[in-house]
Amino acid sequence: RLSLMRACVRLLLLTSSASAAETDPREWTTADVGGWVARVGLHEYRGAFGEGLVDGRRLLGLTLHELEHELLIPSAEHRMVIEMELGELKLRNGLLSTAERARHRKAHPCIEGWSAKEVRKLLEATGLGRFAAAFFSRGVGGDELLRMSGDELRAVMAEQASREEASAREAAAQLLAAQLEMLRAREC
């Protein structure tokens, strides 16, 4: 009987998280937010959002400061991923003003057809400048960057930062992979 109850609770959580993707994020519960956190690839922070009682309304208003100091998200790269994904969530749901939409699009532009020089500038502007030279020296433009797998990204990043701590390089690779996934999904 207890295992049946656990199965029902799991089913309710899964259903709640799955349906959250199709509902207004302002109406999300803390469980819905936890599902979103997992869907954006940061499942390790589900607990922080749950303990912080982050529902949809609070999620939409979170700042980088709150992510770091209230939810205790330690990685700057992961905080940037959350901020970027929040912007995309707001964009998809029509929750950005015209000025906010313009700022978000400027910070996260469509990169199809970009030259290697433009990709280098993007990496420098998004906190990944230490890897820009490696991508530039290989002539990686926007189209190629969008096609690169996570392993290919890591390989190029490892060339430039062979002395950098592996965990910091992995966090940076996750940030870049998340940015590219967002750009692949966006209609430009």
PDB file of all heavy atoms in Angstrom, residues 65-79:
ATOM      1  N   HIS A  65      21.697  38.114  -7.886  1.00  0.00           N
ATOM      2  CA  HIS A  65      22.039  38.249  -6.467  1.00  0.00           C
ATOM      3  C   HIS A  65      21.259  37.237  -5.630  1.00  0.00           C
ATOM      4  O   HIS A  65      21.826  36.575  -4.748  1.00  0.00           O
ATOM      5  CB  HIS A  65      21.766  39.685  -5.998  1.00  0.00           C
ATOM      6  CG  HIS A  65      22.156  39.915  -4.571  1.00  0.00           C
ATOM      7  ND1 HIS A  65      21.281  39.739  -3.532  1.00  0.00           N
ATOM      8  CD2 HIS A  65      23.344  40.281  -4.023  1.00  0.00           C
ATOM      9  CE1 HIS A  65      21.908  39.999  -2.393  1.00  0.00           C
ATOM     10  NE2 HIS A  65      23.156  40.340  -2.665  1.00  0.00           N
ATOM     11  N   GLU A  66      19.967  37.117  -5.865  1.00  0.00           N
ATOM     12  CA  GLU A  66      19.152  36.163  -5.108  1.00  0.00           C
ATOM     13  C   GLU A  66      19.565  34.718  -5.393  1.00  0.00           C
ATOM     14  O   GLU A  66      19.578  33.882  -4.482  1.00  0.00           O
ATOM     15  CB  GLU A  66      17.671  36.356  -5.432  1.00  0.00           C
ATOM     16  CG  GLU A  66      17.101  37.647  -4.892  1.00  0.00           C
ATOM     17  CD  GLU A  66      15.719  37.956  -5.426  1.00  0.00           C
ATOM     18  OE1 GLU A  66      15.452  37.710  -6.617  1.00  0.00           O
ATOM     19  OE2 GLU A  66      14.901  38.456  -4.633  1.00  0.00           O
ATOM     20  N   LEU A  67      19.896  34.436  -6.652  1.00  0.00           N
ATOM     21  CA  LEU A  67      20.351  33.081  -6.978  1.00  0.00           C
ATOM     22  C   LEU A  67      21.598  32.726  -6.176  1.00  0.00           C
ATOM     23  O   LEU A  67      21.735  31.610  -5.675  1.00  0.00           O
ATOM     24  CB  LEU A  67      20.634  32.948  -8.475  1.00  0.00           C
ATOM     25  CG  LEU A  67      19.414  32.958  -9.393  1.00  0.00           C
ATOM     26  CD1 LEU A  67      19.856  33.095 -10.848  1.00  0.00           C
ATOM     27  CD2 LEU A  67      18.582  31.708  -9.195  1.00  0.00           C
ATOM     28  N   GLU A  68      22.500  33.685  -6.051  1.00  0.00           N
ATOM     29  CA  GLU A  68      23.751  33.427  -5.340  1.00  0.00           C
ATOM     30  C   GLU A  68      23.575  33.451  -3.824  1.00  0.00           C
ATOM     31  O   GLU A  68      24.046  32.540  -3.134  1.00  0.00           O
ATOM     32  CB  GLU A  68      24.802  34.457  -5.746  1.00  0.00           C
ATOM     33  CG  GLU A  68      26.145  34.235  -5.072  1.00  0.00           C
ATOM     34  CD  GLU A  68      27.224  35.212  -5.520  1.00  0.00           C
ATOM     35  OE1 GLU A  68      26.902  36.194  -6.223  1.00  0.00           O
ATOM     36  OE2 GLU A  68      28.387  34.980  -5.157  1.00  0.00           O
ATOM     37  N   HIS A  69      22.901  34.463  -3.300  1.00  0.00           N
ATOM     38  CA  HIS A  69      22.892  34.677  -1.855  1.00  0.00           C
ATOM     39  C   HIS A  69      21.701  34.079  -1.121  1.00  0.00           C
ATOM     40  O   HIS A  69      21.811  33.811   0.080  1.00  0.00           O
ATOM     41  CB  HIS A  69      22.998  36.175  -1.556  1.00  0.00           C
ATOM     42  CG  HIS A  69      24.288  36.755  -2.056  1.00  0.00           C
ATOM     43  ND1 HIS A  69      25.498  36.517  -1.462  1.00  0.00           N
ATOM     44  CD2 HIS A  69      24.543  37.539  -3.139  1.00  0.00           C
ATOM     45  CE1 HIS A  69      26.448  37.131  -2.126  1.00  0.00           C
ATOM     46  NE2 HIS A  69      25.904  37.762  -3.156  1.00  0.00           N
ATOM     47  N   GLU A  70      20.596  33.856  -1.794  1.00  0.00           N
ATOM     48  CA  GLU A  70      19.434  33.266  -1.131  1.00  0.00           C
ATOM     49  C   GLU A  70      19.285  31.784  -1.476  1.00  0.00           C
ATOM     50  O   GLU A  70      19.019  30.968  -0.600  1.00  0.00           O
ATOM     51  CB  GLU A  70      18.161  34.037  -1.495  1.00  0.00           C
ATOM     52  CG  GLU A  70      18.154  35.446  -0.910  1.00  0.00           C
ATOM     53  CD  GLU A  70      16.915  36.233  -1.296  1.00  0.00           C
ATOM     54  OE1 GLU A  70      15.867  35.617  -1.584  1.00  0.00           O
ATOM     55  OE2 GLU A  70      17.009  37.479  -1.324  1.00  0.00           O
ATOM     56  N   LEU A  71      19.437  31.449  -2.750  1.00  0.00           N
ATOM     57  CA  LEU A  71      19.309  30.046  -3.146  1.00  0.00           C
ATOM     58  C   LEU A  71      20.655  29.320  -3.105  1.00  0.00           C
ATOM     59  O   LEU A  71      20.712  28.110  -3.258  1.00  0.00           O
ATOM     60  CB  LEU A  71      18.679  29.933  -4.538  1.00  0.00           C
ATOM     61  CG  LEU A  71      17.252  30.476  -4.643  1.00  0.00           C
ATOM     62  CD1 LEU A  71      16.715  30.296  -6.046  1.00  0.00           C
ATOM     63  CD2 LEU A  71      16.341  29.800  -3.638  1.00  0.00           C
ATOM     64  N   LEU A  72      21.728  30.096  -2.913  1.00  0.00           N
ATOM     65  CA  LEU A  72      23.082  29.557  -2.738  1.00  0.00           C
ATOM     66  C   LEU A  72      23.547  28.720  -3.924  1.00  0.00           C
ATOM     67  O   LEU A  72      24.139  27.653  -3.759  1.00  0.00           O
ATOM     68  CB  LEU A  72      23.173  28.756  -1.430  1.00  0.00           C
ATOM     69  CG  LEU A  72      22.750  29.519  -0.156  1.00  0.00           C
ATOM     70  CD1 LEU A  72      22.815  28.601   1.054  1.00  0.00           C
ATOM     71  CD2 LEU A  72      23.599  30.768   0.044  1.00  0.00           C
ATOM     72  N   ILE A  73      23.291  29.235  -5.122  1.00  0.00           N
ATOM     73  CA  ILE A  73      23.801  28.606  -6.345  1.00  0.00           C
ATOM     74  C   ILE A  73      25.261  29.038  -6.454  1.00  0.00           C
ATOM     75  O   ILE A  73      25.535  30.211  -6.732  1.00  0.00           O
ATOM     76  CB  ILE A  73      22.995  29.038  -7.593  1.00  0.00           C
ATOM     77  CG1 ILE A  73      21.495  28.851  -7.403  1.00  0.00           C
ATOM     78  CG2 ILE A  73      23.517  28.331  -8.839  1.00  0.00           C
ATOM     79  CD1 ILE A  73      21.022  27.447  -7.218  1.00  0.00           C
ATOM     80  N   PRO A  74      26.219  28.142  -6.235  1.00  0.00           N
ATOM     81  CA  PRO A  74      27.620  28.554  -6.134  1.00  0.00           C
ATOM     82  C   PRO A  74      28.308  28.913  -7.451  1.00  0.00           C
ATOM     83  O   PRO A  74      29.204  29.743  -7.480  1.00  0.00           O
ATOM     84  CB  PRO A  74      28.305  27.339  -5.494  1.00  0.00           C
ATOM     85  CG  PRO A  74      27.460  26.178  -5.902  1.00  0.00           C
ATOM     86  CD  PRO A  74      26.050  26.716  -5.995  1.00  0.00           C
ATOM     87  N   SER A  75      27.900  28.297  -8.535  1.00  0.00           N
ATOM     88  CA  SER A  75      28.585  28.480  -9.814  1.00  0.00           C
ATOM     89  C   SER A  75      28.056  29.702 -10.563  1.00  0.00           C
ATOM     90  O   SER A  75      26.863  29.793 -10.869  1.00  0.00           O
ATOM     91  CB  SER A  75      28.395  27.229 -10.682  1.00  0.00           C
ATOM     92  OG  SER A  75      28.758  27.479 -12.009  1.00  0.00           O
ATOM     93  N   ALA A  76      28.967  30.628 -10.876  1.00  0.00           N
ATOM     94  CA  ALA A  76      28.576  31.816 -11.652  1.00  0.00           C
ATOM     95  C   ALA A  76      28.018  31.398 -13.012  1.00  0.00           C
ATOM     96  O   ALA A  76      27.046  31.985 -13.496  1.00  0.00           O
ATOM     97  CB  ALA A  76      29.767  32.750 -11.828  1.00  0.00           C
ATOM     98  N   GLU A  77      28.623  30.382 -13.615  1.00  0.00           N
ATOM     99  CA  GLU A  77      28.144  29.910 -14.919  1.00  0.00           C
ATOM    100  C   GLU A  77      26.725  29.362 -14.819  1.00  0.00           C
ATOM    101  O   GLU A  77      25.892  29.607 -15.679  1.00  0.00           O
ATOM    102  CB  GLU A  77      29.085  28.842 -15.488  1.00  0.00           C
ATOM    103  CG  GLU A  77      30.395  29.398 -16.012  1.00  0.00           C
ATOM    104  CD  GLU A  77      31.478  29.518 -14.946  1.00  0.00           C
ATOM    105  OE1 GLU A  77      31.202  29.204 -13.753  1.00  0.00           O
ATOM    106  OE2 GLU A  77      32.599  29.924 -15.294  1.00  0.00           O
ATOM    107  N   HIS A  78      26.434  28.626 -13.746  1.00  0.00           N
ATOM    108  CA  HIS A  78      25.086  28.071 -13.584  1.00  0.00           C
ATOM    109  C   HIS A  78      24.070  29.169 -13.314  1.00  0.00           C
ATOM    110  O   HIS A  78      22.938  29.106 -13.798  1.00  0.00           O
ATOM    111  CB  HIS A  78      25.075  27.026 -12.474  1.00  0.00           C
ATOM    112  CG  HIS A  78      25.799  25.776 -12.842  1.00  0.00           C
ATOM    113  ND1 HIS A  78      26.080  24.784 -11.946  1.00  0.00           N
ATOM    114  CD2 HIS A  78      26.313  25.350 -14.034  1.00  0.00           C
ATOM    115  CE1 HIS A  78      26.735  23.807 -12.548  1.00  0.00           C
ATOM    116  NE2 HIS A  78      26.885  24.128 -13.826  1.00  0.00           N
ATOM    117  N   ARG A  79      24.478  30.195 -12.563  1.00  0.00           N
ATOM    118  CA  ARG A  79      23.568  31.331 -12.356  1.00  0.00           C
ATOM    119  C   ARG A  79      23.272  32.021 -13.682  1.00  0.00           C
ATOM    120  O   ARG A  79      22.136  32.424 -13.941  1.00  0.00           O
ATOM    121  CB  ARG A  79      24.165  32.322 -11.348  1.00  0.00           C
ATOM    122  CG  ARG A  79      24.223  31.778  -9.929  1.00  0.00           C
ATOM    123  CD  ARG A  79      24.592  32.846  -8.908  1.00  0.00           C
ATOM    124  NE  ARG A  79      25.869  33.483  -9.142  1.00  0.00           N
ATOM    125  CZ  ARG A  79      27.038  33.064  -8.660  1.00  0.00           C
ATOM    126  NH1 ARG A  79      27.093  31.986  -7.913  1.00  0.00           N
ATOM    127  NH2 ARG A  79      28.148  33.740  -8.919  1.00  0.00           N
TER     128      ARG A  79
END
